[in-house]
Amino acid sequence: MSILVTGGAGFIGSHTVVELLNAGEDVVVLDNLYNASPESLKRVEEITGKTVKFYETDIRDRKGLDDLFANEKIETVIHFAGLKAVGESVYKPWEYYDNNITGTLTLIDSMRNHGVKNMIFSSSATVYGDPKVVPITEDAGKGNVTNPYGWTKWMLEQILTDIYNADKEWNVILLRYFNPIGAHKSGLIGENPNGVPNNLMPYITQVAIGKLKELGVFGDDYPTHDGTGVRDYIHVVDLAVGHVKAIEKIKENVGLEIYNLGTGVGVSVLDLVHAFESANGIKIPYVIKARREGDVATCYSDASKAKRELGWEAKYNIEDMCKDSWRFQQKNPEGY
Ligand code: NAD
Ligand code: UFG
């Protein structure tokens, strides 16, 4: 039996495919390559010495999905495929709802028609909205989200919960990621954003390599230790290993479970800038700008449920994340 990884050519997907193959799992990857290069899967093959079975298919393509499930013996789907740019989602809500929600509904329907009822879903800390208490536990309750991307995660969690409630043969694990950064130690795979990056770490690495002049720090008047936004940055390899643990868990017929995947450590924008500078010996020029709309002051996890129930905890620290992000950027200045 195999694991289907949708969005497996992307940033988190490609790192997860490496860890699944290293753990001896059989993997099939589906991706429409909208935000990924086929090169990432070649690199996964180079790292693991294994061949990756790949379907270039869209999750909204019902026939493509039916053919895949008819050809492959899939036991569980790890569902990464989706659009993820917060800012873009405000301008293209229809595209986000269609891709993420129609796509996932099509996938779920094809799965159940082929008797595949195990899903691990990529959710996000964004579903908590502006947290009342930190660190955030899974039972904190969902909050108000500030953009269509976040609403797709919020709604898909609800949809998967309702699907499970109606048919208890399903096993659903909702993984709420905090802020994934870093890259595989080899420097062969990493984050490959299109155009000017929206997220902090790829922006920093592009300043470091000279593609961008300086970092804009969005606000220094938050109620945090240095006034800049605090997040829970997690190494993408730790996140990938979390999926291997979730695969072991789902085999126990878990029903519906939710896990935070984070480090539990809050790091500010300026903390990350300074950590990058000292890890890599490069100065990152920055200017303070206005707050970015929709940002919260502080967001970090309590990840003790994942430790208790999945036997998972993050191993890499901020220095590792800074070194590994920089190695990937240096080895791939123009991306893949
Ligand atoms: P990514 O864009 O690198 O990967 C997503 C992959 O899905 C891409 O390879 C893309 O080509 C593919 N895809 C998109 N729409 C598709 C479709 N309709 N059919 C088939 N393939 C499609 O993003 P990522 O950072 O690896 O994120 C993976 C998942 O984790 C996403 O669902 C994202 O929303 C979620 N997530 C990411 C973060 C983050 O900060 N990176 C945080 C929380 C949650
Ligand atoms: N920031 C800057 N300058 C930049 C980019 C970001 O100061 O150029 C700041 C932000 O204001 C924030 C912090 O850096 O305080 C992190 O911002 P990111 O854009 O890297 O990440 P977010 O926390 O906003 O969101 C990310 C993903 C979401 C996901 C969320 C989960 O983009 O998809 O993590 O916590 F939902």
Side-chain angles (χ1 to χ4, degrees):
M1 297 294 274
S2 302
I3 297 161
L4 173 63
V5 182
T6 75
F11 172 46
I12 308 172
S14 58
H15 288 82
T16 301
V17 173
V18 167
E19 298 307 319
L20 289 168
L21 291 172
N22 285 344
E25 300 284 358
D26 284 326
V27 175
V28 174
V29 171
L30 173 154
D31 201 299
N32 68 355
L33 300 180
Y34 177 81
N35 195 35
S37 158
E39 179 63 24
S40 74
L41 294 176
K42 289 200 191 112
R43 307 259 180 112
V44 167
E45 292 182 335
E46 195 179 331
I47 293 167
T48 60
K50 296 184 179 171
T51 311
V52 178
K53 199 167 211 179
F54 176 56
Y55 287 74
E56 186 175 338
T57 306
D58 192 293
I59 50 168
R60 291 161 297 180
D61 171 1
R62 180 54 194 265
K63 184 172 180 321
L65 289 175
D66 286 343
D67 289 347
L68 188 156
F69 285 110
N71 290 338
E72 307 290 341
K73 288 194 168 51
I74 304 295
E75 189 170 23
T76 300
V77 176
I78 305 184
H79 180 31
F80 292 107
L83 301 180
K84 64 155 185 180
V86 172
E88 183 186 63
S89 76
V90 176
Y91 302 103
K92 294 183 173 177
W94 187 88
E95 282 73 9
Y96 273 69
Y97 289 119
D98 178 52
N99 194 83
N100 294 5
I101 295 192
T102 310
T104 304
L105 288 174
T106 310
L107 174 66
I108 292 170
D109 197 35
S110 183
M111 284 174 69
R112 63 180 182 179
N113 280 328
H114 292 84
V116 182
K117 295 187 177 181
N118 298 318
M119 181 183 280
I120 295 170
F121 176 64
S122 294
S123 189
S124 167
T126 202
V127 301
Y128 292 116
D130 194 353
K132 287 188 192 70
V133 179
V134 283
I136 309 170
T137 54
E138 290 82 353
D139 54 16
K142 286 157 60 179
N144 266 324
V145 181
T146 50
N147 58 80
Y149 162 74
W151 283 118
T152 69
K153 295 296 175 192
W154 201 103
M155 290 180 203
L156 285 168
E157 283 203 357
Q158 187 62 45
I159 288 168
L160 285 162
T161 303
D162 292 338
I163 298 274
Y164 165 74
N165 283 333
D167 177 358
K168 296 280 165 46
E169 284 181 11
W170 278 85
N171 291 291
V172 175
I173 297 185
L174 307 175
L175 296 179
R176 292 177 178 163
Y177 312 152
F178 282 69
N179 290 53
I181 59 171
H184 191 264
K185 285 267 171 256
S186 61
L188 287 171
I189 55 172
E191 192 168 6
N192 189 36
N194 279 332
V196 177
N198 295 302
N199 296 115
L200 181 59
M201 182 55 101
Y203 207 105
I204 291 176
T205 61
Q206 293 203 10
V207 169
I209 207 151
K211 278 186 154 181
L212 297 169
K213 188 168 132 265
E214 62 194 7
L215 171 72
V217 174
F218 299 142
D220 68 349
D221 56 352
Y222 284 107
T224 62
H225 63 272
D226 61 13
T228 66
V230 166
R231 297 289 183 277
D232 183 342
Y233 296 96
I234 173 168
H235 197 295
V236 65
V237 172
D238 275 330
L239 196 60
V241 171
H243 292 75
V244 178
K245 297 288 187 185
I247 283 287
E248 288 166 17
K249 187 74 184 172
I250 213 165
K251 288 177 183 162
E252 298 168 12
N253 292 327
V254 281
L256 175 82
E257 288 292 348
I258 305 177
Y259 296 102
N260 285 339
L261 295 183
T263 62
V265 181
V267 171
S268 76
V269 176
L270 290 182
D271 290 338
L272 191 67
V273 167
H274 296 137
F276 187 92
E277 290 179 332
S278 63
N280 298 312
I282 299 166
K283 202 92 198 110
I284 303 296
Y286 66 84
V287 287
I288 304 295
K289 293 200 170 159
R291 291 182 179 191
R292 183 171 67 179
E293 210 182 315
D295 275 354
V296 301
T298 303
C299 176
Y300 61 93
S301 68
D302 177 329
S304 57
K305 185 179 176 205
K307 183 174 180 186
R308 228 171 25 247
E309 297 186 12
L310 301 179
W312 172 90
E313 75 184 310
K315 290 199 174 65
Y316 294 107
N317 62 26
I318 284 288
E319 189 185 356
D320 300 317
M321 300 180 216
C322 291
K323 284 188 167 158
D324 294 344
S325 291
W326 179 226
R327 187 180 306 106
F328 177 74
Q329 178 72 73
Q330 279 180 298
K331 282 186 124 181
N332 306 273
E334 300 307 326
Y336 286 119

